[in-house]
Amino acid sequence: MNPQAAVLTRSRLTLILLGSLFFAPFIGAWVIYNFFPNLRPTGTTNYGELIVPAKPIPALELKAADGAPANVLPSEKWTLLQIGTADCDAACNERLVLTRQVRLALGKNLSRLQRVYIAPDAAAQAALVASLGDSHKNLHIVADAGAAGSRARDVFGTDDPLNLYLIDPNGNWLLVYKGTVEAKGLLGDLKKLMKLSNIG
């Protein structure tokens, strides 16, 4: 064989080998994803319970303390939502303190998160504003004025006033936090989402 041709052949083989090494992981991943679904990774890194697929929140009829429409959902901010009762007991207040601390722990991103408490009616809202207003100045306490079947409890399907719902700035419900909630886990979710997102 011509020495020059041999060098050219060797160069081509080297190039093909390098190309194969580069594309092999992508081809392997595609094959596994499409033909071996049982081998797909199933673990997630989120702390809260992921809503799959994310659910757009329908328009809720919420009222501010002065009776005007409360434009808190959807918002241009991330929202931690609590659908509470007329009386915020010790467990409820502990949950509010947790969300306040987590918001403060966001540091420079704290303005990207709002906390919203939905009271069942205007009378409950007034009482909650009076009892919680001083200790939770950044908490939006709004009244649910929706008709039966379209109230917040109907939308989120909840009877637990301690559940926390995370809603993105586009109005999509992404995560729910039930039972015992640790500040570290909730904060970790928020930091990851805010880092990955340029909205809110």
Side-chain angles (χ1 to χ4, degrees):
M1 179 184 283
N2 186 326
Q4 190 173 357
V7 170
L8 186 59
T9 301
R10 200 163 40 248
S11 297
R12 285 177 179 164
L13 288 173
T14 302
L15 186 61
I16 290 170
L17 179 61
L18 287 173
S20 299
L21 290 173
F22 179 79
F23 287 108
F26 298 102
I27 295 168
W30 181 84
V31 169
I32 289 171
Y33 186 86
N34 288 286
F35 297 102
F36 301 95
N38 57 319
L39 296 178
R40 294 178 193 168
T42 56
T44 59
T45 60
N46 49 286
Y47 173 71
E49 182 181 322
L50 196 62
I51 305 302
V52 181
K55 296 181 180 178
I57 303 303
L60 293 171
E61 192 175 344
L62 305 174
K63 300 288 186 182
D66 61 2
N71 300 315
V72 292
L73 287 176
S75 168
E76 294 181 353
K77 297 185 177 186
W78 293 87
T79 301
L80 270 179
L81 174 68
Q82 191 171 339
I83 304 170
T85 59
D87 176 35
C88 187
D89 60 14
C92 164
N93 193 61
E94 187 177 314
R95 189 70 95 209
L96 291 177
V97 169
L98 170 79
T99 61
R100 182 181 64 197
Q101 291 173 336
V102 166
R103 180 177 178 271
L104 290 172
L106 287 171
K108 65 179 182 180
N109 285 319
L110 71 85
S111 63
R112 298 176 66 189
L113 178 72
Q114 66 172 356
R115 299 182 304 137
V116 176
Y117 185 103
I118 300 180
D121 53 48
Q125 176 191 30
L128 287 163
V129 168
S131 63
L132 299 173
D134 288 339
S135 54
H136 296 280
K137 295 185 183 299
N138 296 108
L139 178 66
H140 297 283
I141 303 173
V142 299
D144 195 338
S150 61
R151 294 168 63 83
R153 288 186 183 279
D154 302 314
V155 170
F156 290 92
T158 181
D159 284 321
D160 190 340
L162 297 182
N163 284 355
L164 293 174
Y165 305 92
L166 181 62
I167 302 164
D168 75 13
N170 291 325
N172 297 305
W173 173 21
L174 302 181
L175 292 159
V176 60
Y177 300 86
K178 300 176 181 178
T180 302
V181 179
E182 295 183 3
K184 182 179 179 181
L186 177 56
L187 180 62
D189 280 353
L190 287 166
K191 283 185 172 180
K192 277 185 284 188
L193 286 166
M194 289 182 178
K195 184 178 180 180
L196 294 171
S197 170
N198 59 3
I199 55 175

